[in-house]
Amino acid sequence: MQEKGNISIHTENIFPVIKKFLYSDNEIFLRELVSNAVDATQKIKRLSSLGQYTGELGDQTIDVAFDETAKTITISDNGIGMTAEEVKKYINQIAFSGATEFVEKFKEAKDANEIIGRFGLGFYSAFMVADQVEIQTLSYQEGAEPAKWICDGSTSYEISEGSRTKRGTDIILHVNADAEEFLNKGRLQEILDKYAKFLPVPIRFGIRTTSEPDGEDEEGKPKYKSVEVDNIINNTAPAWTKAPAELKDEDYLAFYRELYPYSFDEPLFWIHLNVDYPFNLTGILYFPKLKENFEIQKNKIKLYSRQVFITDEVKDIVPEFLMLLHGVIDSPDIPLNVSRSFLQADSNVKKINTYITKKVADKLAELFKSDRKGFEEKWKDIGLFVKYGMLSDDKFAEKAADFCLLKNTEGEVYTLAEYAAKVKDIQQDKEGNVIYLYTNDAAQQDSYVATARERGYDVLVLDSPIDSHFIGYLEQKTEKTQLKRVDADVIDKLIEKEESKKLELTEEESKKATELFEKAISRENMKVHVEALSESELPVTVTIDEFMRRMKDMAQTGGGMSFYGSMPDNYKVTVNGNHPLIKRIVAVDNEAEQAQLAKQAFDLALLSKGLLTGSDLTNFVKRSVSLIG
């Protein structure tokens, strides 16, 4: 048997085109060829189970080997094999049936994943790294003869009698000078770990040295000896391929460590995905412990197709807020070689996106109902995730409204509905709005929190990085409700009631107090107001407008309000005209003493706000000592 010929394509040499377009992603040649070997192995197993192949299956292991001297990489399987006619059909004809369309459509392509596999070109990815590719194959069919196919990267090929004596196929790549990085054990191991770690057929890559027990030494301590074993690089039955009933908690945790060997924290809990209609999907998603200064940790969810790794860029399959999760999704409905445009347009991908969102919401609702106390204990770790989900996905938000929690300064925890019922009467202002008071730093804003608590008001703790956005969401979704930070104004202004206090200073005294404090403060960004407040309120309070501060907070967390971030802070200084100290200051005859007392009262207000620093703080301490003395 000897035949030479040309691959029938209606264009000039296709191989330089493949190399040009796919060069940046050339490592995926190994994924393509190993995946083909897996397919061939699974086909022979299938034929055997159907009784269409009655021979011995034998060792099903796929071998990957390289020879640095000969500059070859070989992928060998004991699968279905091919006859010479099948080689011509599958390698020469079918693989290039779409070649003309390929060249026309992808002249401008930049992304390898837009191209490879879309036109049956998976096998030909070998030419990204090889000057010459050789196939040695022997079909499972009785009486079949071995065949050899060889091609040097042009459209010419040669078929002759092969040398293989066992059923299966060897693909031998004669590596070109530009790709000699792949003639390296570490590099090949890295690629196999990335793409083949969970393939369903064992993949052997040479041997490795391990140690095993070898009796005891003279002191009775265990001895070990080094032994060489097959270097099987994959787990053929990862946890997501099993039924949930087969797995215990330790199995899920062991698989998490297999996926993320460098992660120190164990996941909080997980969801096992398993659906076969209207699409096929399996997988396990883990809830990690989120860091307070969270960033979306990309590349933590891995996408597979029939246990073959595709990508860890899953943002078109998984809603953005779920990118905070870790784990694996496997769907044969997503082709092995996919492009961004395919993922964005594919109806299955949209269904998968919706399904995963629903499963996550259902899991959280179930955890909340079955063990509310445990859920509350985990809230610090998952609250960020739930709030982010509510902000970014309406369907998730609908379900999450039942298990989203609010925590107050007393450490009490409420659902949204429970909290609304708790404060709706006592914290209603004269306009009929319910006011939720909150702090983002309970320690620093303690005096403001204490004042609110003395009035019988409740104060929420909203101190996560996302809360500046979540506050606006709550206002939008909760009728006639406003959120105000507890230090945004004096308490009587935050929740204005019908009854208003009468100012005990005369108009002239009030004007004098304003002038005194303006002179003592002497700062352009601080505006003095004399107000009629309760005697129990502080004599001077420094606050920053709720709207402006909220816009500045959102600017810091990327809320699209960046122009607010550069604006100066403007403060309101409220002088309590009914406080005995203010009355005393106004009544003092000595101007120097008046100025000193006004300055001291103002500095106390700054101190409670955490704004008294540097030389102002030093002078305050000295003044306090002299006043006491």
Side-chain angles (χ1 to χ4, degrees):
M1 174 179 61
Q2 184 81 16
E3 180 184 318
K4 292 185 178 181
N6 282 295
I7 298 166
S8 53
I9 52 175
H10 308 297
T11 183
E12 65 223 53
N13 190 347
I14 194 78
F15 298 103
V17 181
I18 294 174
K19 289 179 185 178
K20 176 187 169 188
F21 283 134
L22 306 185
Y23 183 77
S24 63
D25 251 12
N26 58 355
E27 70 175 31
I28 60 177
F29 81 91
L30 196 55
R31 179 188 77 178
E32 295 295 320
L33 299 179
V34 171
S35 298
N36 287 351
V38 168
D39 288 343
T41 306
Q42 289 181 312
K43 279 174 182 165
I44 196 68
K45 286 164 81 173
R46 177 78 174 144
L47 290 176
S48 179
S49 69
L50 294 171
Q52 293 176 23
Y53 174 68
T54 55
E56 287 290 322
L57 281 176
D59 183 9
Q60 299 290 290
T61 307
I62 292 163
D63 276 294
V64 177
F66 73 102
D67 184 326
E68 199 170 357
T69 307
K71 297 188 177 178
T72 59
I73 296 172
T74 303
I75 296 95
S76 302
D77 67 68
N78 300 314
I80 196 168
M82 291 180 283
T83 63
E85 286 305 310
E86 285 171 332
V87 170
K88 284 196 279 185
K89 179 180 177 184
Y90 293 114
I91 302 298
N92 294 349
Q93 294 167 24
I94 292 178
F96 274 92
S97 59
T100 306
E101 185 188 351
F102 160 72
V103 172
E104 285 306 309
K105 190 166 182 181
F106 291 104
K107 278 177 184 167
E108 305 303 321
K110 293 181 179 67
D111 180 4
N113 277 334
E114 287 183 37
I115 305 162
I116 207 163
R118 298 291 297 281
F119 298 94
L121 288 167
F123 166 75
Y124 281 94
S125 64
F127 286 97
M128 290 192 291
V129 298
D131 285 330
Q132 183 172 280
V133 177
E134 181 182 334
I135 299 174
Q136 290 279 359
T137 185
L138 176 60
S139 172
Y140 76 98
Q141 295 171 38
E142 203 169 325
E145 292 183 359
K148 172 185 176 181
W149 178 93
I150 194 160
C151 179
D152 64 0
S154 70
T155 51
S156 301
Y157 68 88
E158 184 179 316
I159 292 182
S160 58
E161 187 177 336
S163 58
R164 182 144 180 147
T165 56
K166 288 196 327 185
R167 180 199 74 232
T169 302
D170 300 324
I171 309 290
I172 302 142
L173 312 182
H174 295 267
V175 175
N176 64 41
D178 292 336
E180 287 184 7
E181 63 170 293
F182 298 111
L183 294 169
N184 175 283
K185 186 176 182 181
R187 183 75 172 100
L188 290 175
Q189 179 78 46
E190 175 196 340
I191 300 168
L192 290 168
D193 284 342
K194 181 176 179 180
Y195 292 109
K197 194 177 177 78
F198 300 112
L199 282 171
V201 176
I203 315 293
R204 179 168 47 219
F205 181 48
I207 56 171
R208 61 185 175 86
T209 304
T210 186
S211 61
E212 62 178 39
D214 186 25
E216 296 178 346
D217 63 17
E218 293 169 1
E219 296 176 10
K221 292 179 180 174
K223 284 198 307 180
Y224 295 90
K225 63 179 178 181
S226 293
V227 290
E228 291 188 333
V229 296
D230 286 347
N231 180 29
I232 303 295
I233 59 100
N234 56 325
N235 171 359
T236 58
W240 85 79
T241 64
K242 299 173 183 175
E246 294 177 55
L247 299 166
K248 299 187 173 111
D249 285 359
E250 50 263 39
D251 297 319
Y252 286 107
L253 292 170
F255 181 58
Y256 186 80
R257 285 189 288 273
E258 194 174 351
L259 283 173
Y260 310 106
Y262 304 111
S263 177
F264 299 110
D265 290 327
E266 289 196 339
L268 297 165
F269 47 87
W270 47 85
I271 301 170
H272 197 134
L273 306 167
N274 198 339
V275 63
D276 53 20
Y277 182 82
F279 48 82
N280 288 290
L281 178 79
T282 54
I284 301 170
L285 294 178
Y286 292 91
F287 281 73
K289 287 186 176 177
L290 295 177
K291 304 291 181 264
E292 274 298 302
N293 55 341
F294 87 105
E295 285 183 17
I296 298 176
Q297 297 176 36
K298 293 177 180 172
N299 311 339
K300 288 293 185 180
I301 296 178
K302 300 173 191 294
L303 177 65
Y304 288 77
S305 178
R306 294 186 177 90
Q307 294 173 240
V308 180
F309 175 74
I310 300 176
T311 182
D312 47 19
E313 286 281 343
V314 296
K315 64 180 179 180
D316 294 302
I317 295 169
V318 175
E320 188 184 6
F321 76 98
L322 293 180
M323 300 275 281
L324 295 169
L325 302 185
H326 297 174
V328 166
I329 296 168
D330 188 323
S331 176
D333 291 326
I334 296 169
L336 186 57
N337 301 286
V338 293
S339 64
R340 284 289 314 280
S341 56
F342 172 87
L343 287 174
Q344 288 166 344
D346 187 66
S347 61
N348 273 329
V349 169
K350 289 187 175 71
K351 287 175 193 165
I352 289 169
N353 188 308
T354 303
Y355 167 78
I356 292 172
T357 302
K358 180 180 182 302
K359 285 292 286 185
V360 169
D362 290 349
K363 175 72 174 182
L364 289 166
E366 176 202 324
L367 286 168
F368 176 70
K369 284 177 189 163
S370 64
D371 180 13
R372 174 160 176 167
K373 190 170 185 304
F375 189 87
E376 288 178 1
E377 286 167 0
K378 291 188 178 85
W379 183 251
K380 188 175 189 309
D381 292 302
I382 60 173
L384 203 63
F385 165 83
V386 172
K387 290 173 184 176
Y388 185 35
M390 293 176 79
L391 287 168
S392 55
D393 191 292
D394 289 340
K395 287 215 165 57
F396 180 80
E398 282 173 29
K399 291 175 178 285
D402 294 334
F403 54 74
C404 179
L405 300 179
L406 298 173
K407 192 173 186 176
N408 69 10
T409 51
E410 304 296 296
E412 299 162 342
V413 180
Y414 303 89
T415 64
L416 299 183
E418 288 166 352
Y419 194 75
K422 174 182 170 66
V423 299
K424 71 180 173 65
D425 295 326
I426 191 167
Q427 290 179 208
Q428 193 172 123
D429 68 9
K430 65 183 182 183
E431 304 296 331
N433 296 309
V434 177
I435 310 300
Y436 289 9
L437 299 173
Y438 72 94
T439 174
N440 71 331
D441 188 331
Q444 190 184 52
Q445 294 153 15
D446 182 69
S447 63
Y448 299 89
V449 172
T451 302
R453 298 285 304 161
E454 281 164 16
R455 292 293 180 88
Y457 296 152
D458 195 76
V459 182
L460 292 170
V461 178
L462 293 171
D463 58 359
S464 81
I466 207 165
D467 279 333
S468 56
H469 299 271
F470 188 65
I471 285 159
Y473 171 87
L474 279 179
E475 286 181 331
Q476 184 188 343
K477 297 292 181 182
T478 317
E479 197 176 345
K480 293 210 79 174
T481 298
Q482 295 174 4
L483 276 86
K484 296 181 181 179
R485 203 167 87 180
V486 73
D487 63 342
D489 209 330
V490 292
I491 196 68
D492 287 345
K493 295 290 181 184
L494 290 176
I495 305 178
E496 290 194 82
K497 299 290 187 180
E498 290 291 352
E499 67 277 6
S500 57
K501 295 240 175 339
K502 183 172 179 294
L503 185 63
E504 294 173 19
L505 295 178
T506 65
E507 190 176 333
E508 189 180 332
E509 286 172 330
S510 179
K511 186 181 175 187
K512 186 177 179 182
T514 303
E515 289 170 355
L516 262 172
F517 276 92
E518 281 177 345
K519 193 173 178 183
I521 293 165
S522 191
R523 297 190 194 181
E524 285 184 14
N525 66 336
M526 294 198 170
K527 188 83 175 156
V528 176
H529 297 263
V530 176
E531 306 268 0
L533 304 175
S534 164
E535 284 188 11
S536 62
E537 295 279 356
L538 292 169
V540 182
T541 310
V542 177
T543 56
I544 185 168
D545 177 73
E546 172 72 20
F547 174 78
M548 283 300 297
R549 185 202 40 72
R550 198 184 292 188
M551 292 302 105
K552 288 169 81 71
D553 285 350
M554 289 174 72
Q556 286 182 339
T557 53
M561 304 286 179
S562 56
F563 59 93
Y564 282 108
S566 58
M567 292 178 75
D569 288 327
N570 286 300
Y571 295 92
K572 176 185 175 185
V573 180
T574 303
V575 176
N576 182 359
N578 293 344
H579 195 281
L581 177 61
I582 303 302
K583 293 177 189 171
R584 181 187 152 198
I585 292 170
V586 171
V588 169
D589 285 335
N590 186 313
E591 279 188 28
E593 189 183 342
Q594 264 186 335
Q596 187 182 47
L597 288 170
K599 181 70 174 160
Q600 188 74 356
F602 170 66
D603 281 354
L604 280 166
L606 287 183
L607 190 66
S608 71
K609 183 83 175 167
L611 293 172
L612 194 62
T613 58
S615 60
D616 289 334
L617 179 58
T618 305
N619 293 334
F620 169 77
V621 173
K622 286 179 180 175
R623 196 185 319 115
S624 299
V625 172
S626 68
L627 284 169
I628 294 168

